[in-house]
Every structure is written in structure tokens, then in C-alpha cells.
């Protein structure tokens, strides 16, 4: 089987696809990734063959979206027609700039199936245009292929002979049942529509953050509780480090060790740090989490699910729109963590951070629930187990 993976041009959207790609290679299948921008580089760093779908301009709408939701309150309120149309235009335009190259890659590389995440609507369009099975690869919370993006791409789909694509043939669901039950029972959760597919296959979420040289002291527990702080892979979230500074100041009186990832950028606000705080450009989150007692993050899907997988209590500070709010709230609803108000809605204060961290570290209930979720995730089929079943099904429907 020749599996063609594709995603939008963001590194954080490529990383969740890597474990299954590696599993497919290990099982003797052929794998290629067709994408653009940072995702293309993330794929090659993961040791995967990668095909550029365009000259790099597909990243522009996505980067503009990131700037908009991180610097303004757009996307931090309940979704309405205008919000959905805006997001649809962004992901639709990203797809419009990639889809011709993606179709060419599928044909010339002789793919047997196309795998894509929910927001990459061009993946579904390309599969339908080439007559290939489409696999919706979840990256955390289950959701359907993004409808507003498909609507935006409808004229392109018609031009390519793809008809009116609606949904994939198979869904890979990475979220354990307990988290979905918590989301659906929460009065505050925003439950997105699930995919309507003939077959949904559960698959274990395996955090992948690439390789790195790890300081020995980060792979063993220290004498004090350890907290890691990350704002993800997007440099724009870090600014000059003011938010990280407020988090560090909030942890200053707790007698704990703090590891702060800086995104590899110069952050003036972090030039003079208290004892016990270690800034690092970047660390694979999955490598350091097992020695941590809590994680503070921005509500990103990768950070949220990596914390669940490691059984580590989490404090979410939503920065990137409704998805980050939903992720942070899921930790609250499950009992595995806390969240603070988005800085777009209320100023983040060191006092609020201190209170939340003290609660996470002093109340063993958060660790207990986190470990229970981690155990549940470990019982889900691994990518290496799932790839055989997925291949058999795709061979049947081709």
C-alpha cells in the first residue's frame, strides 16, 4: 500500500501524523508526505519522503490566521456565521493553493490512499479528484472534515472533477472515551460535529516531537516538584516573553523547579530569571513530561494530548482561539487540570498562576485522574497494531 499523508503548512499539524507514517513504513508500506512550508520541513526531519505541493505561498493565509487569533479577540467567542466563514475562507484558501500540487502528487507518486487531518480540506478534495480512499486522521479531539472550508473550496472541487465532497471513508479517532464523555457532559464544552463515516477506528495518541539531545537532569526527577512551561511551536505566541514572565513570577514563591521553553527566540522579558528557572530553546515535550509534576501550556492540541498521554496535570492558558479554549476546558471537565481565562478576555496575573499551580501540585486528585486517562490511552490500539486493519479495509473499498 502506498500511503500519501498531507496536512496544512504548520509543523504542529504534521507531528501527530508521524507515528502512523512510521508504523506504515515499519510494516513494509510506502509513505510520502505532500505538504508545504514548515510542515514540509517537519516531515523531512522525521525521516519521511516529502513532496512540495506549492512554492510555499500556501502558508500565508495560515500565518495570517495565527496572527489574528493571537493578537486580537477574534476566535475567542462562540462561533457564529461570520467566524465560521472567516475560518472557512482561511483553510479553504490554504487548500486552494495546495490542491493542484496535491492531486499531481497523488497521481504521479501512484498513491493508494490519502490521509489528512480535519482542517486540511484539500486532502479530501484531492482524494475524490483522484478516486482514492480518503482517511480522516484525527489529531486529538474528534471532529469532522471542516465544512466551511469545503464550501469555500467547492468551485475548485468542481473544476477538478471531485464532485461535492463531504466526508472521508475512514476516520482514525485518537481520543479516549472518558475524555469524550467528559466533553459531552460538560455544560460549558463546545462539542464540534463528529465525522459521519462508514468506519471509525480508535488509535492510541503517541506524542511525537522530533529528536533532541536531552540534558541528563531532565530525564530524571529532581529534588523539587518540576513544572514545564510551553507556548507551542509558533514564535508569534511568545512575543517578547511577557506572558512567560508572568507565569515564571507566579511560580516564584512555590519552591519548585521550572523549565521554560522559549521557542528559540530572544525574549527580553526573560533576561533575569529567579533561581530554579531554566530557559531552553526547545525540548521534545514527550521526553520531559514523565519527570514533571505539572505542565503549563497554551491550549494547543499537541500539548494537551501529550499531557494526557503522560499522566501529568495541566494548566491551560488559551491563546489560539476556540480550539485552545476547548482543549483547556477538556482538562477541567475530565478532572485532569485547570484553566485560566484567556489573556484576550482578562489580564493574566502572577497571582492567578500561583494559585492554580499550588492547587495542581497540592491536590493529588489531578494526578490520579491524569494517570487514569493515560492508562486508558495506553489500552487503545497503537499505530503499529492499527495499520494492518486499516490496510485491509482500504484494499477492500478500492
Amino acid at each position: 500500500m502506498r500511503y500519501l499523508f498531507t496536512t496544512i503548512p504548520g509543523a504542529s499539524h504534521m507531528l501527530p501524523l508521524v507515528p502512523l507514517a512510521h508504523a506504515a513504513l515499519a510494516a513494509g508500506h510506502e509513505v510520502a508526505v505532500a505538504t508545504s512550508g514548515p510542515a514540509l520541513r517537519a516531515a523531512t526531519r522525521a525521516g519521511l519522503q516529502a513532496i512540495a505541493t506549492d512554492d510555499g505561498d500556501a502558508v500565508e493565509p495560515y500565518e495570517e490566521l495565527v496572527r489574528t487569533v493571537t493578537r486580537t479577540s477574534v476566535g475567542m467567542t462562540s462561533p457564529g456565521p461570520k467566524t465560521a466563514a472567516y475560518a472557512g475562507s482561511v483553510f479553504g484558501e490554504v487548500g486552494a493553493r495546495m490542491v493542484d500540487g496535491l492531486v499531481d502528487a497523488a497521481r504521479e507518486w501512484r498513491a493508494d490512499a490519502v490521509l489528512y487531518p480535519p482542517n486540511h480540506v484539500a486532502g479530501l478534495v484531492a482524494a475524490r479528484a483522484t478516486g482514492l480512499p480518503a482517511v480522516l486522521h484525527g489529531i486529538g479531539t474528534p471532529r469532522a472534515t471542516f465544512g466551511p472550508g469545503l464550501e469555500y473550496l467547492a468551485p475548485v472541487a468542481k473544476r477538478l472533477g471531485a464532485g461535492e465532497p463531504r466526508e472521508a471513508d475512514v476516520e482514525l479517532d485518537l481520543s479516549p472515551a472518558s475524555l469524550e464523555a467528559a466533553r459531552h457532559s460538560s455544560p460549558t464544552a463546545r462539542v464540534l460535529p463528529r465525522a459521519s463515516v462508514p468506519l471509525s477506528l480508535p488509535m492510541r495518541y503517541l506524542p511525537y516531537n522530533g529528536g533532541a539531545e536531552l540534558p541528563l537532569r531532565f530525564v530524571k526527577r529532581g529534588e523539587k516538584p518540576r513544572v514545564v512551561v510551553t507556548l507551542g511551536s509558533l514564535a508569534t505566541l511568545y512575543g517578547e516573553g511577557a506572558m512567560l514572565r508572568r507565569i515564571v513570577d507566579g511560580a516564584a514563591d512555590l519552591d519548585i523547579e521550572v523549565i521554560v521553553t522559549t521557542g528559540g527566540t530572544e525574549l527580553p522579558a526573560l533576561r533575569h530569571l529567579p533561581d530554579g528557572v531554566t530557559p531552553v530553546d526547545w525540548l521534545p515535550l514527550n521526553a520531559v513530561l514523565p519527570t514533571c509534576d505539572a505542565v503549563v501550556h497554551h491550549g494547543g492540541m499537541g500539548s494537551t494530548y501529550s499531557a494526557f498521554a503522560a499522566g501529568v496535570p495541566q494548566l491551560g492558558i488559551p491563546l489560539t482561539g476556540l480550539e485552545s479554549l476547548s482543549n483547556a476546558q477538556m482538562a477541567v471537565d475530565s478532572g485532569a487540570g485547570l484553566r485560566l481565562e484567556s489573556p484576550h478576555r482578562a489580564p493574566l496575573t502572577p497571582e492567578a498562576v500561583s494559585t492554580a499551580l499550588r492547587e495542581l501540585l497540592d491536590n493529588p486528585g489531578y494526578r490520579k485522574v491524569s494517570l487514569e486517562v493515560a492508562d486508558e490511552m495506553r489500552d487503545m490500539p497503537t499505530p503499529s497494531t492499527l495499520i494492518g486493519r486499516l490496510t485491509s479495509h482500504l484494499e477492500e473499498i478500492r
Side-chain angles (χ1 to χ4, degrees):
M1 179 73 71
R2 296 171 69 86
Y3 284 106
L4 183 67
F5 288 73
T6 183
T7 188
I8 66 171
S12 63
H13 294 267
M14 180 64 225
L15 299 181
L17 311 185
V18 171
L20 182 62
H22 283 169
L25 287 171
H29 303 292
E30 295 186 64
V31 170
V33 178
T35 186
S36 181
L40 192 73
R41 295 188 289 274
T44 58
R45 286 195 296 266
L48 300 171
Q49 299 180 51
I51 304 167
T53 58
D54 56 273
D55 60 5
D57 68 341
V59 74
E60 294 173 2
Y62 175 64
E63 288 181 339
E64 179 58 32
L65 172 66
V66 171
R67 285 191 292 269
T68 299
V69 300
T70 55
R71 296 177 183 177
T72 71
S73 61
V74 171
M76 300 303 294
T77 57
S78 297
K82 289 185 178 180
T83 303
Y86 171 64
S89 69
V90 172
F91 290 110
E93 182 59 27
V94 169
R97 298 184 185 196
M98 296 178 66
V99 69
D100 287 299
L102 182 53
V103 167
D104 287 345
R107 287 175 174 155
E108 298 301 324
W109 189 71
R110 305 185 310 281
D112 294 314
V114 177
L115 295 88
Y116 68 96
N119 56 11
H120 188 38
V121 291
L124 178 58
V125 172
R128 296 295 176 247
T130 54
L132 296 173
V135 180
L136 179 64
H137 191 306
I139 58 174
T141 302
R143 60 193 59 185
T145 303
F146 190 45
L150 283 172
E151 292 176 13
Y152 182 95
L153 213 55
V156 177
K158 183 177 181 180
R159 171 175 64 80
L160 292 171
E164 298 181 357
R166 294 295 176 215
E167 194 48 275
D169 303 295
V170 185
E171 174 196 28
L172 305 182
D173 182 359
L174 277 63
S175 193
S178 66
L179 295 185
E180 292 310 293
R183 284 201 317 130
H184 283 269
S185 64
S186 170
T188 60
R190 182 177 68 100
V191 181
L192 296 171
R194 286 292 305 267
S196 178
V197 294
L199 178 65
S200 181
L201 299 174
M203 185 174 78
R204 178 179 170 184
Y205 182 90
L206 290 177
Y208 173 83
N209 304 119
E213 182 177 342
L214 301 173
L216 180 59
R217 68 187 189 90
F218 287 166
V219 297
K220 62 180 181 180
R221 284 195 170 272
E223 297 179 357
K224 297 179 179 180
R226 176 179 291 163
V227 174
V228 62
V229 181
T230 178
L231 300 184
S233 61
L234 297 170
T236 187
L237 294 181
Y238 289 84
E240 294 188 348
M243 183 170 298
L244 287 176
R245 184 74 214 200
R246 288 191 285 273
I247 295 171
V248 167
D249 289 346
D253 63 345
L254 298 182
D255 193 30
I256 62 176
E257 178 189 357
V258 180
I259 301 172
V260 182
T261 64
T262 65
T265 59
E266 181 66 27
L267 304 177
L270 298 186
R271 283 177 183 158
H272 304 288
L273 292 171
D275 292 340
V277 178
T278 304
V280 294
D281 285 350
W282 176 83
L283 277 176
L285 194 57
N286 60 314
V288 72
L289 276 174
T291 69
C292 292
D293 299 275
V295 56
V296 182
H297 61 75
H298 61 301
M301 191 76 76
S303 299
T304 301
Y305 272 78
S306 292
F308 280 128
V312 176
Q314 49 191 299
L315 172 60
I317 305 174
L319 295 182
T320 56
L322 282 169
E323 180 176 283
S324 63
L325 280 169
S326 176
N327 292 336
Q329 187 61 41
M330 182 167 50
V332 175
D333 294 335
S334 66
L338 299 171
R339 81 167 174 90
L340 296 178
E341 192 65 85
S342 166
H344 296 299
R345 293 180 171 179
L348 177 69
T349 65
E351 292 76 17
V353 173
S354 179
T355 299
L357 281 179
R358 191 182 300 276
E359 168 68 12
L360 279 184
L361 296 172
D362 290 349
N363 186 336
Y366 298 104
R367 169 68 77 168
K368 179 177 182 294
V369 172
S370 298
L371 290 172
E372 290 171 351
V373 174
D375 287 342
E376 184 182 7
M377 294 173 79
R378 277 191 289 271
D379 287 338
M380 297 173 71
T382 63
S384 60
T385 300
L386 173 122
I387 192 65
R389 184 180 178 189
L390 176 63
T391 300
S392 295
H393 179 73
L394 293 178
E395 289 174 342
E396 290 177 2
I397 66 175
R398 285 189 65 215

